[in-house]
Amino acid sequence: MNSSHANISEELLARYLADNASESERNNVEAWLTESEANARELAAYRLIWDHTASMKKSSAPVDTDAAWNKMKGKMAAFKSPMAASEVKTIEFRPEMKKRRLPVTVWAAAMIAILVMAFGWFFLIADKTPELLNVATTNNTTEQLLPDGTKVFLNYNSKLTYPENFKGDLRTVSLQGEAFFDVKPDAAHPFVIQANGTEIRVLGTSFNVKAYSEAPVRVDVATGKVRVSKDAHRVELVKGQSAEVLKDSIRSLQANMNLMGYRTQVYDFNAADLQDVVSSIRDGYHVDVRLSNDKIAQCRLTIRFEKEPVDATLSVIAETLDLNLRKEGKVYWLEGNGCQ
């Protein structure tokens, strides 16, 4: 037989249709099919004629490819001169010809295609990425209830991003700034916070996360257990423990519950340096409090405040340590000569 194709011979097509082609030849035909839709349509037409020409029953004798191909070419001559895409679409057989039953493989391929489309549509709807929502603060605090029932209390200049609905194995949110989390327990779906390259993972607990860009991420645990990770470093914390995430390590600390004063307005100092007391009040009340000199910075104070106004809190501190309190504009000054 002579070739009638620029890239592939009729002999090869015959062997391919008769399932007598070698693996290499089959690869050549399948590569040819992918070159254009016209090639695919042409082979489809050949296969249609081949199937109508071949015997409907399998024979134990070997397939005579050349004889089958010659017989097939005789039928092709009736409509192919040469075969074009428009002609392929109008191929018909006379009604008196015996109706051919489609091969099982064709039915299987059709069913697979239908299932793929059905499942594709289902997952397109079911797995649609939930819309991300944001809650942010500037010079205020706010509390946000998440879709799973978790409560988040945001400090000043903070932003929380979370999905409108939690889907999948994890409940993931991201934080910039500071927030106190009271996580709704769900052992099957861990709660994960992404904060400045640090991952905080819990099942159900309460804790504070401080993640402003200019300082290391810090986590203080109020209840339950928390896992803090960054790169290859990881630490697990329980109630009363804290961690500070540095560039190349994670440092374990004792939790400082006064850091959560911005939410609770409760401060409990036990032999604390005045410098640390002032720092907690400054962050919790969002006011500018300063010491007049370094001598009084080391004065120690044991005292508890619960939801007291800032003026009253600072006045009690000054009275307790025998210091003077002065307000200049928006700045509070604690002044004195030091402590005995």
Side-chain angles (χ1 to χ4, degrees):
M1 290 181 286
N2 296 325
S3 173
S4 62
H5 304 275
N7 299 322
I8 195 165
S9 68
E10 291 180 343
E11 291 89 339
L12 178 52
L13 286 177
R15 288 194 294 276
Y16 181 83
L17 292 171
D19 289 331
N20 287 337
S22 66
E23 183 178 355
S24 174
E25 289 173 331
R26 290 184 65 83
N27 290 337
N28 289 338
V29 173
E30 289 167 1
W32 174 75
L33 288 174
T34 62
E35 290 178 0
S36 70
E37 293 184 3
N39 291 349
R41 289 195 299 268
E42 187 171 349
L43 182 65
Y46 287 172
R47 186 186 295 279
L48 207 57
I49 297 170
W50 179 273
D51 289 343
H52 277 272
T53 303
S55 173
M56 296 301 292
K57 296 184 178 180
K58 291 186 177 180
S59 172
S60 59
V63 176
D64 187 344
T65 302
D66 287 340
W69 183 255
N70 287 330
K71 186 176 180 180
M72 173 181 154
K73 288 178 67 177
K75 289 182 175 288
M76 288 171 54
F79 70 90
K80 174 181 178 293
S81 181
M83 183 177 293
S86 61
E87 294 169 334
V88 171
K89 295 179 180 178
T90 58
I91 294 175
E92 295 181 356
F93 292 92
R94 295 182 179 180
E96 61 269 23
M97 294 182 65
K98 184 176 180 180
K99 187 175 181 180
R100 180 179 62 88
R101 179 175 296 176
L102 290 176
V104 174
T105 54
V106 175
W107 286 109
M111 291 302 297
I112 291 173
I114 293 172
L115 289 173
V116 167
M117 288 188 292
F119 277 104
W121 178 255
F122 172 79
F123 285 112
L124 180 64
I125 300 300
D127 289 348
K128 182 181 178 182
T129 302
E131 180 182 356
L132 292 180
L133 305 177
N134 296 310
V135 56
T137 60
T138 51
N139 296 323
N140 64 296
T141 59
T142 189
E143 186 172 56
Q144 182 68 28
L145 183 66
L146 301 189
D148 65 334
T150 292
K151 296 178 182 179
V152 184
F153 191 93
L154 273 72
N155 200 355
Y156 279 37
N157 303 310
S158 300
K159 179 181 177 181
L160 180 74
T161 302
Y162 62 96
E164 59 180 346
N165 289 299
F166 289 113
K167 291 186 176 182
D169 296 332
L170 301 176
R171 297 173 286 166
T172 303
V173 303
S174 64
L175 173 69
Q176 297 173 343
E178 185 172 18
F180 182 88
F181 292 83
D182 188 358
V183 177
K184 185 71 173 290
D186 185 350
H189 301 88
F191 192 91
V192 176
I193 303 166
Q194 301 291 346
N196 293 349
T198 297
E199 179 184 283
I200 301 101
R201 181 181 293 232
V202 303
L203 297 179
T205 183
S206 59
F207 54 97
N208 193 74
V209 179
K210 195 170 187 176
Y212 290 105
S213 58
E214 67 276 6
V217 174
R218 175 168 176 148
V219 180
D220 291 81
V221 181
T223 62
K225 181 185 294 185
V226 176
R227 177 188 298 172
V228 180
S229 306
K230 182 177 182 181
D231 300 329
H233 306 286
R234 186 177 73 180
V235 64
E236 290 191 352
L237 309 173
V238 296
K239 177 181 178 180
Q241 294 182 336
S242 174
E244 190 174 60
V245 182
L246 306 177
K247 183 177 181 181
D248 299 316
S249 63
I250 300 178
R251 182 173 63 175
S252 296
L253 303 168
Q254 184 177 359
N256 183 356
M257 305 307 291
N258 291 320
L259 292 180
M260 307 176 198
Y262 70 92
R263 170 181 170 266
T264 62
Q265 291 299 297
V266 174
Y267 300 91
D268 195 352
F269 302 108
N270 184 18
D273 290 343
L274 182 58
Q275 183 64 57
D276 294 335
V277 173
V278 167
S279 178
S280 295
I281 291 175
R282 184 187 297 123
D283 292 342
Y285 286 99
H286 302 286
V287 294
D288 189 354
V289 183
R290 304 181 189 182
L291 303 179
S292 62
N293 58 71
D294 294 337
K295 293 180 180 179
I296 61 175
Q298 302 303 316
C299 292
R300 290 186 173 273
L301 184 67
T302 298
I303 198 169
R304 176 183 172 87
F305 299 101
E306 186 168 345
K307 299 181 180 180
E308 298 288 346
V310 63
D311 294 83
T313 297
L314 292 174
S315 295
V316 170
I317 291 174
E319 185 68 24
T320 302
L321 297 176
D322 196 21
L323 302 175
N324 294 321
L325 175 64
R326 175 172 60 89
K327 187 175 182 182
E328 185 178 298
K330 294 184 178 181
V331 180
Y332 290 89
W333 288 93
L334 286 171
E335 302 173 325
N337 296 322
C339 303
Q340 298 297 328

